[in-house]
Amino acid sequence: TAIDFHGKTIVITGAAGDIGFATAQYLGHLGARIGLLDLDPEKTQAAAKTLTQQGITNAYFIADVTNPEQVKNAIDHLSHTLGPIHGLFNNAGYQGHFSPTHTYPLDDFNRVMHINVTGAFTVMSAIARHMITHGGGAIVNTASMAAVGGPPNMIAYATSKAALIGMTQTASKDLAPYQIRVNAISPAYMGPGFMWTRQVELQAAAGSQYFDACPDNVAEQMIQSIPMRRYGHINEIVGAVAFLLSDTSSYITGVNLPISGG
Ligand code: NAD
């Protein structure tokens, strides 16, 4: 059967960002009621307004994924407004600084780990408690090819996303008895957008042997490293998320799906 989310509520964290908002629109057009969770009030309100204009039922809650009380309040509010939560796109993230391992700032390392790892765990465990009382659900965590590719100058980000893959595998086992599936997606170079531009500029500025000092050349170097010779478009992520959140993937759990052009 075709993917259909009518009657289902899906919560998206980092919902005001590029990937989160594109996914919100895609899942919304497939019938889902969308609960937006993000830290940024203006961007989130604008995202909610756009969804409403597109006829997509939605609600939003401004929360920091690293704050358990705010996360609990968000789940209470969104499930009260939209109905029990069937799906979670656990997607909020922060890319961190760009500098080599021996000069990488500890405070930023801790910040990346706190948002990407502790934050993802906080949301996932709270939503799992909610889903257990409502008969199950599906969770998709946003990891990254950085988890396995060893990108230079991104020690904190690579470490945090590798942790997310481990988290996905263990959670899939812990939550299988409760009819909750947990999978991950690992996008690689995606564009255009904030993260693409930022990483091209910061890799150029980092002054390593791996990338040129000129951002245009860095962009070209990155593209040349991809078998399909182009970056991925965000619209090439949303279908994978829909698949993993839908009943179409009902026997798939604990998987990390690369979205990387090869
Ligand atoms: P983005 O910066 O556009 O969006 C991230 C969103 O997360 C923002 O709206 C931000 O406000 C929100 N956020 C950050 N910290 C938060 C917190 N503590 N609590 C709540 N919300 C918070 O980035 P994006 O490209 O949409 O990235 C989304 C996810 O995809 C991230 O986990 C990122 O690491 C991952 N990813 C992105 C790429 C890429 O190239 N764009 C590649 C691989 C993985």
Tab-separated table of all heavy atoms in Angstrom, residues 12 18 24 49 67 93 112 132 148 232 244:
chain	number	residue	atom	x	y	z
A	12	ILE	N	8.452	16.492	14.893
A	12	ILE	CA	9.739	16.730	14.242
A	12	ILE	C	10.536	17.706	15.100
A	12	ILE	O	10.047	18.798	15.418
A	12	ILE	CB	9.526	17.325	12.832
A	12	ILE	CG1	8.705	16.365	11.974
A	12	ILE	CG2	10.866	17.673	12.173
A	12	ILE	CD1	8.341	16.904	10.595
A	18	ASP	N	16.299	23.426	7.708
A	18	ASP	CA	16.110	23.046	6.306
A	18	ASP	C	15.482	21.660	6.172
A	18	ASP	O	14.458	21.481	5.502
A	18	ASP	CB	17.457	23.053	5.567
A	18	ASP	CG	17.992	24.472	5.401
A	18	ASP	OD1	17.172	25.413	5.372
A	18	ASP	OD2	19.225	24.629	5.303
A	24	ALA	N	8.544	18.213	7.257
A	24	ALA	CA	7.213	18.567	7.780
A	24	ALA	C	6.217	18.745	6.637
A	24	ALA	O	5.092	18.235	6.680
A	24	ALA	CB	7.307	19.851	8.605
A	49	LYS	N	3.066	28.641	10.253
A	49	LYS	CA	2.139	29.436	9.445
A	49	LYS	C	2.094	28.922	8.005
A	49	LYS	O	1.020	28.779	7.405
A	49	LYS	CB	2.599	30.907	9.472
A	49	LYS	CG	1.518	31.882	9.089
A	49	LYS	CD	2.000	33.315	9.258
A	49	LYS	CE	1.193	34.224	8.350
A	49	LYS	NZ	1.801	35.539	8.184
A	67	ASN	N	16.692	19.974	27.306
A	67	ASN	CA	16.018	20.289	28.568
A	67	ASN	C	14.832	19.334	28.777
A	67	ASN	O	13.798	19.468	28.118
A	67	ASN	CB	15.545	21.747	28.527
A	67	ASN	CG	14.893	22.173	29.826
A	67	ASN	OD1	14.074	21.451	30.383
A	67	ASN	ND2	15.255	23.346	30.302
A	93	GLY	N	19.955	19.359	15.404
A	93	GLY	CA	21.394	19.119	15.461
A	93	GLY	C	22.195	20.391	15.262
A	93	GLY	O	21.673	21.404	14.794
A	112	VAL	N	28.341	20.312	21.147
A	112	VAL	CA	27.886	19.424	20.072
A	112	VAL	C	27.335	18.119	20.654
A	112	VAL	O	26.255	17.654	20.264
A	112	VAL	CB	29.038	19.134	19.080
A	112	VAL	CG1	28.644	18.049	18.088
A	112	VAL	CG2	29.450	20.405	18.350
A	132	ILE	N	4.794	4.050	24.267
A	132	ILE	CA	4.516	2.781	24.955
A	132	ILE	C	3.085	2.780	25.496
A	132	ILE	O	2.385	1.769	25.427
A	132	ILE	CB	5.561	2.537	26.080
A	132	ILE	CG1	6.896	2.107	25.451
A	132	ILE	CG2	5.073	1.491	27.092
A	132	ILE	CD1	8.075	2.083	26.414
A	148	VAL	N	30.691	7.863	9.934
A	148	VAL	CA	31.543	6.762	9.457
A	148	VAL	C	32.606	7.217	8.467
A	148	VAL	O	33.520	6.464	8.142
A	148	VAL	CB	30.683	5.633	8.821
A	148	VAL	CG1	29.843	4.945	9.880
A	148	VAL	CG2	29.807	6.168	7.704
A	232	GLY	N	23.333	16.088	-2.574
A	232	GLY	CA	21.947	15.657	-2.524
A	232	GLY	C	21.045	16.836	-2.243
A	232	GLY	O	21.450	17.813	-1.603
A	244	LEU	N	10.630	5.268	6.420
A	244	LEU	CA	11.008	4.657	7.704
A	244	LEU	C	9.984	4.954	8.805
A	244	LEU	O	9.895	4.195	9.774
A	244	LEU	CB	12.405	5.131	8.122
A	244	LEU	CG	13.547	4.581	7.263
A	244	LEU	CD1	14.872	5.255	7.622
A	244	LEU	CD2	13.676	3.060	7.403
